[in-house]
Amino acid sequence: MSRPELSGHASIFYNEREARKYNSSSRMVNVQREITLRAIELLLLSPDKASYILDIGCGSGLSGQVLEEKGHIWVGCDVSRDMLQVAHERIDDSFDGNNKNVENDEGSDEVHDPPLSTGDLLHHDMGTGLPFRPATFDACISISALQWLCYSNSASQNPKRRLLRFFSQLYAILKKSARAVLQFYPETAEQAVLISECATAVGFGGGVVVDYPNSTKAKKHYLVLSCDRTSSKQVQQSMPSVEEQTHVSVSAASRKGIDKPIRKKKGIKTKEWIIKKKETQRKRGKSVRPDTKYTARRRPTKF
Amino acid sequence: MRNNTKEADGKGFPLRITAVEVRVVDNPDATNVGQREIDFVKNMLPVLDWPALVQAASQLGIPTLPPQLTEQLAQDPAFLQALYHILMNVHLVKGMLTCPASGREFPVTDGIVNMMLEEEECERVRV
Ligand SMILES: C[S@@+](CC[C@H](N)C(=O)[O-])C[C@H]1O[C@@H](n2cnc3c(N)ncnc32)[C@H](O)[C@@H]1O
């Protein structure tokens, strides 16, 4: 399957047709929903409190809908006007009372049905920064969007610059105790390293949680960030407890812990590793191509 | 409505609102606003820039906010309920947000504000 990120700008890929298709696929809705629930779990929000949450790359509002159900208040930004339009139509419907949930019992504080609010929407590119005042949000989520920042769509777009600008402004607009959970699909291990290095470079503590690491299809990366300015050590310590907690609720998922330092991701197939592996294979009498200057050289990505 | 908290990329705040169409969602019953909502507003108070909010509300046709946020008001449930209504149920559907510093305009259509920037307009970052 070719990656949509390689097809050009996100607003071109997520055009009107794609935006409608996105929401009418119940498989898609369910997958996004499950990821969002997991991201909310990793945010460690107080369930009794309505939090003010920024949803980056909110798309058609599937992730925002889950936030509403949990009784939170969200603001979404996305680079695709067509996706936002779909989100707007749903929100408009709920104002008109067409929301099928509205009939339900209103007094209940548990279900938040009808939701406390529907999100505010911004047409905005996260790579250009985040247009909010400092210390505004209690939390931030981003579902299946962050990897787009690793690609440049014009000569003036530098992925690293855009990532650094994004993370430093994210750091500024979050409250002191806030967390951010960003689920993303790295194309390569290098992308995951680049992303987490840019996040730590601006002062964030935290790391990457990988759910279902052994499944190509179900594998999910969550960048879990904390802006606790006092001590990043404390964050490191608190992370494993997140794992313990979530293991109980999602016991079927085998996953690597958050306590794994980000750096370890590097060098899965380095030149040294390949040469050593070839050596071992040769010793076992297998036929192996000779080592040349091309050994372990990066190949251009195929489409 | 919370557009008032948006900053034109560090260059200016508060954004001036020119309202063409405003939608106020009915608040069927003020008692509908529960403790969770009240707590939310309390939590938001330190985030809000009060004079900017007063200005934004009047630009949206709601001139009733008191010019000063007193300690007493901040504890008053009836006031907090009314404030919740203003924060959550008043939506700018169509109009313009204008940066007070640069005059840069951000059009709002269908309730969506367009804040797309060119790379040249963005904050410089050293790589
Ligand atoms: C796979 S969709 C996920 C949408 C939504 N979060 C959900 O869970 O359904 C990814 C979204 O990221 C948005 N996106 C891509 N690059 C972006 C950028 N630079 N800034 C903001 N949004 C972006 C796309 O427009 C798209 O709507």
Side-chain angles (χ1 to χ4, degrees):
Chain A
M1 194 174 68
S2 84
R3 295 178 61 91
E5 288 82 5
L6 298 171
S7 65
H9 200 274
S11 63
I12 297 169
F13 178 77
Y14 289 106
N15 56 17
E16 191 177 347
R17 203 172 57 97
E18 196 62 32
R20 307 253 160 234
K21 208 168 80 188
Y22 196 84
N23 262 41
S24 57
S25 152
S26 62
R27 190 190 64 88
M28 190 62 112
V29 172
N30 285 334
V31 171
Q32 296 312 105
R33 195 186 159 77
E34 201 180 302
I35 303 175
T36 310
L37 286 169
R38 172 71 170 137
I40 295 174
E41 185 178 52
L42 289 169
L43 280 176
L44 302 181
L45 299 172
S46 151
D48 317 318
K49 213 185 113 216
S51 294
Y52 191 44
I53 302 178
L54 176 62
D55 183 353
I56 297 171
C58 64
S60 53
L62 293 180
S63 33
Q65 234 171 309
V66 180
L67 290 173
E68 286 168 22
E69 287 165 26
K70 297 275 166 196
H72 299 297
I73 308 219
W74 63 282
V75 175
C77 77
D78 201 285
V79 81
S80 156
R81 177 75 203 199
D82 290 311
M83 290 291 266
L84 289 169
Q85 205 66 35
V86 174
H88 167 73
E89 282 167 24
R90 181 189 67 88
I91 290 169
D92 228 27
D93 274 359
S94 75
F95 288 164
D96 293 334
N98 295 343
N99 189 336
K100 53 184 186 306
N101 298 332
V102 167
E103 301 131 32
N104 291 353
D105 161 51
E106 292 195 3
S108 161
D109 255 340
E110 302 302 311
V111 199
H112 310 295
D113 206 2
L116 291 187
S117 90
T118 46
D120 278 354
L121 303 171
L122 279 84
H123 185 197
H124 182 78
D125 177 348
M126 59 173 144
T128 64
L130 296 164
F132 303 94
R133 289 168 62 218
T136 298
F137 294 98
D138 297 313
C140 160
I141 66 161
S142 172
I143 307 296
S144 320
L146 186 58
Q147 70 278 357
W148 282 94
L149 284 188
C150 297
Y151 303 84
S152 107
N153 296 301
S154 68
S156 63
Q157 284 191 354
N158 172 329
K160 189 160 184 199
R161 187 185 312 136
R162 280 162 57 80
L163 277 164
L164 284 171
R165 185 190 288 131
F166 166 72
F167 281 121
S168 67
Q169 297 200 12
L170 176 63
Y171 191 89
I173 63 167
L174 289 174
K175 288 190 188 163
K176 230 178 31 222
S177 56
R179 276 185 176 220
V181 174
L182 306 102
Q183 180 270 328
F184 65 107
Y185 292 109
E187 185 182 356
T188 59
E190 285 82 6
Q191 281 189 355
V193 172
L194 175 67
I195 285 180
S196 34
E197 279 180 353
C198 288
T200 34
V202 306
F204 274 117
V208 178
V209 177
V210 184
D211 278 6
Y212 309 104
N214 302 322
S215 157
T216 359
K217 263 192 128 170
K219 186 170 176 174
K220 297 281 178 313
H221 289 74
Y222 298 82
L223 181 63
V224 182
L225 301 176
S226 150
C227 18
D228 201 324
R229 281 148 232 231
T230 48
S231 91
S232 57
K233 214 170 157 209
Q234 210 179 325
V235 178
Q236 295 293 336
Q237 279 165 1
S238 74
M239 290 299 186
S241 72
V242 181
E243 273 312 286
E244 278 158 32
Q245 214 185 19
T246 54
H247 250 303
V248 188
S249 52
V250 199
S251 53
S254 69
R255 55 175 72 108
K256 283 183 206 155
I258 222 172
D259 39 330
K260 184 180 62 127
I262 297 161
R263 295 269 151 61
K264 284 234 182 89
K265 284 229 137 160
K266 247 195 311 216
I268 300 182
K269 290 192 176 168
T270 58
K271 187 162 183 173
E272 294 81 83
W273 180 86
I274 291 180
I275 290 177
K276 215 171 142 215
K277 173 139 189 176
K278 283 178 151 189
E279 204 42 56
T280 334
Q281 302 270 312
R282 258 180 225 119
K283 276 187 199 143
R284 291 195 188 138
K286 298 211 174 120
S287 86
V288 177
R289 303 269 300 269
D291 297 338
T292 67
K293 65 174 176 175
Y294 298 109
T295 302
R297 222 175 59 157
R298 293 245 252 117
R299 308 286 193 285
T301 332
K302 285 209 192 81
F303 287 82
Chain B
M1 180 60 202
R2 277 161 289 146
N3 285 340
N4 72 302
T5 63
K6 277 159 212 162
E7 194 174 26
D9 203 46
K11 282 181 258 139
F13 173 83
L15 296 174
R16 195 173 64 241
I17 305 173
T18 315
V20 176
E21 188 186 340
V22 177
R23 175 162 195 173
V24 181
V25 180
D26 276 346
N27 185 17
D29 173 9
T31 55
N32 217 357
V33 178
Q35 193 55 42
R36 192 179 176 97
E37 287 82 345
I38 300 277
D39 288 345
F40 177 77
V41 180
K42 275 195 186 156
N43 188 30
M44 284 303 278
L45 287 180
V47 175
L48 297 171
D49 175 324
W50 193 258
L53 178 67
V54 174
Q55 183 194 328
S58 78
Q59 285 165 347
L60 289 174
I62 303 171
T64 47
L65 281 179
Q68 228 103 83
L69 177 69
T70 60
E71 276 296 312
Q72 199 188 347
L73 276 177
Q75 298 300 328
D76 178 359
F79 169 75
L80 293 174
Q81 275 181 3
L83 183 55
Y84 182 83
H85 173 66
I86 291 180
L87 289 175
M88 295 316 217
N89 296 333
V90 183
H91 301 265
L92 180 60
V93 179
K94 195 172 166 62
M96 190 71 83
L97 305 182
T98 312
C99 171
S102 66
R104 171 79 152 90
E105 295 189 319
F106 303 97
V108 180
T109 45
D110 291 331
I112 305 170
V113 54
N114 183 345
M115 295 211 142
M116 293 291 282
L117 300 176
E118 294 299 325
E119 184 67 26
E120 300 76 56
E121 296 179 273
C122 299
E123 189 186 83
R124 293 264 154 264
V125 181
R126 255 192 327 168
V127 180

